[in-house]
Amino acid sequence: MSIRTEDSTLTSWILEVDRRLLWAVLALVLVGAIFVVSAGSVSAERIHQPWYYFLVKSIPFYVIGLITLFAASMLKKKWVLGISALNICVGLVLLAWTCIAPYKIKGSARFAHTPITNISPSDIMKPGFVILTAWFLYKMHSAYGDNMFLSRDAWRFRKLSWWTYLAIFVPVLLIMFLHPDVGTAFLYTITFGGMTFLAGLPWSIMIGLVAFGLFAGAVAFMIMPHVHARIMSFTTGQGDKYQVTQSIQSIQHGGLLGSGDDAFVKESLPDAHTDFIYAAIVEDFGAIVACVLLCGLVYVLKRLTTDAMSSRNPFVFYATGGAAILFGTQVCINLATTLHLMPPKGMTLPFISYGGSSFVGFCLLFGMVLALIREDKWK
């Protein structure tokens, strides 16, 4: 593969970036803004605000997120790693702050309150988590080879070892778990498990991780009343089913072509602009448009998978594969809760739902992945 010699950095970026992935993400952002207006209008009226209230609140995050996406996609690998480390450090500070001065929204203390906005550290940390986990797996494989999961040296107390990584990862998961933010802890665990599987994790350890996840779920079921209530409502059909009932009714009322101005079920749908935005989309625009949106989300996942499989550097493979796992899992969790296939988790639909922390976090993640793909392909 020849190395490009254009003097213009912008020209090189235009020629080298994965344009199909970038355009797909930008398309999701555009339709997400439209859907936030549609779904958010009833939520705004519910709090006595004008119909465009949530769009106006979203504009600063759209600007910051898109600038972040384009700027990060032009970075070199060393800058991607540096920003990822900074991202994790800021996220850890904010996460610690949620323990010192918890700010609860809907029963969860996972937000850090600032005079400007409320920040979700677990959403902000996702880019750094994926990139640094990928880098750690790459360095571990370089140092210990295919036996990096079972080698005694890999488990000794030293700078590069599993204990170094787990010393950071486990407390983060514990804080999320206790907020309570079981859904995000579940997402991080699945992403970590998927990335280690890509790195060659033996099936015996994978089974152990699954068993640990089931044990953690059982503990949450026993000690956390809201988790107990949601699981019991999901499995028995009794208890508080208001959210999922309204979600299903919104989807049913939308039909194939949508209800348009006659969409009224979403007026009683909690979080119509965030967690249950897909149900509001179906009622407004119909199942056909919703399926097109779903195809767009699947296409982004396909591009990430294709880029991962065609990467030459194991680090890029782990990073792009990790982004695909994180993105795909969050989409599946959001849609599964919307369709009542699993208990509600309070998780946004990437690039579509209203939520500044989640949007900016995914823009940073995709920008850095685009930068790694570009450098791996052309440099």
Side-chain angles (χ1 to χ4, degrees), residues 152-167:
R152 290 186 178 181
D153 290 337
W155 287 94
R156 296 185 188 278
F157 289 96
R158 56 179 65 180
K159 186 177 180 180
L160 181 64
S161 75
W162 283 106
W163 293 114
T164 305
Y165 182 86
L166 294 176

Side-chain angles (χ1 to χ4, degrees), residues 323-336:
I325 294 168
L326 177 72
F327 176 82
T329 302
Q330 183 156 336
V331 168
C332 288
I333 290 175
N334 178 274
L335 295 181

Side-chain angles (χ1 to χ4, degrees), residues 39 43 46 106 243 268-278 280 346:
S43 298
R46 197 178 299 138
K106 297 178 181 178
Q243 286 182 313
S268 303
L269 178 63
D271 305 318
H273 59 306
T274 54
D275 303 349
F276 290 94
I277 192 170
Y278 195 75

Side-chain angles (χ1 to χ4, degrees), residues 43-365:
S43 298
E45 292 174 3
R46 197 178 299 138
I47 58 175
H48 309 293
Q49 296 291 342
W51 61 268
Y52 51 82
Y53 174 73
F54 286 107
L55 176 63
V56 171
K57 289 193 67 176
S58 296
I59 288 176
F61 296 108
Y62 284 133
V63 173
I64 294 171
L66 290 175
I67 291 175
T68 299
L69 174 67
F70 282 100
S73 68
M74 298 180 181
L75 297 174
K76 296 185 180 297
K77 182 175 69 176
K78 65 178 182 179
W79 281 100
V80 169
L81 290 170
I83 291 176
S84 297
L86 178 63
N87 173 254
I88 286 293
C89 290
V90 172
L92 288 174
V93 170
L94 292 175
L95 200 62
W97 184 250
T98 62
C99 298
I100 299 171
Y103 185 79
K104 289 189 176 183
I105 296 180
K106 297 178 181 178
S108 176
R110 63 190 179 99
F111 295 92
H113 180 66
T114 70
I116 300 176
T117 187
N118 299 317
I119 301 173
S120 172
S122 58
D123 285 329
I124 291 295
M125 291 173 60
K126 289 173 182 175
F129 166 71
V130 169
I131 300 299
L132 291 188
T133 299
W135 181 249
F136 172 78
L137 293 173
Y138 168 67
K139 299 299 288 185
M140 287 290 286
H141 190 271
S142 300
Y144 304 109
D146 295 335
N147 198 36
M148 66 177 182
F149 295 101
L150 300 176
S151 171
R152 290 186 178 181
D153 290 337
W155 287 94
R156 296 185 188 278
F157 289 96
R158 56 179 65 180
K159 186 177 180 180
L160 181 64
S161 75
W162 283 106
W163 293 114
T164 305
Y165 182 86
L166 294 176
I168 299 174
F169 180 66
V170 173
V172 166
L173 278 185
L174 184 61
I175 293 174
M176 292 179 187
F177 190 77
L178 295 177
H179 268 152
D181 188 10
V182 178
T184 304
F186 181 64
L187 175 65
Y188 271 66
T189 304
I190 288 181
T191 303
F192 171 73
M195 293 180 71
T196 53
F197 183 76
L198 293 178
L201 181 70
W203 279 104
S204 57
I205 301 180
M206 178 62 73
I207 293 172
L209 286 175
V210 173
F212 173 78
L214 293 175
F215 172 76
V219 172
F221 176 77
M222 290 185 291
I223 69 174
M224 296 181 175
H226 81 286
V227 174
H228 183 277
R230 287 182 178 181
I231 293 178
M232 291 300 296
S233 175
F234 177 77
T235 55
T236 65
Q238 300 177 355
D240 185 7
K241 300 187 297 178
Y242 182 76
Q243 286 182 313
V244 294
T245 299
Q246 294 300 116
S247 176
I248 296 299
Q249 288 180 355
S250 292
I251 293 171
Q252 292 172 338
H253 187 240
L256 286 177
L257 301 177
S259 301
D261 293 337
D262 293 329
F264 63 88
V265 180
K266 67 176 185 177
E267 296 178 5
S268 303
L269 178 63
D271 305 318
H273 59 306
T274 54
D275 303 349
F276 290 94
I277 192 170
Y278 195 75
I281 291 170
V282 177
E283 185 176 12
D284 270 337
F285 300 96
I288 295 177
V289 171
C291 287
V292 172
L293 172 60
L294 182 58
C295 289
L297 294 167
V298 171
Y299 180 76
V300 170
L301 182 60
K302 176 184 177 297
R303 286 304 310 164
L304 287 172
T305 304
T306 301
D307 286 329
M309 296 302 295
S310 61
S311 60
R312 299 179 295 177
N313 189 305
F315 166 55
V316 179
F317 171 66
Y318 299 148
T320 310
I325 294 168
L326 177 72
F327 176 82
T329 302
Q330 183 156 336
V331 168
C332 288
I333 290 175
N334 178 274
L335 295 181
T337 56
T338 298
L339 298 172
H340 194 34
L341 299 177
M342 65 184 299
K345 288 289 181 290
M347 198 167 292
T348 59
L349 188 59
F351 297 116
I352 304 299
S353 296
Y354 170 81
S357 299
S358 177
F359 180 77
V360 174
F362 270 107
C363 284
L364 177 59
L365 173 61

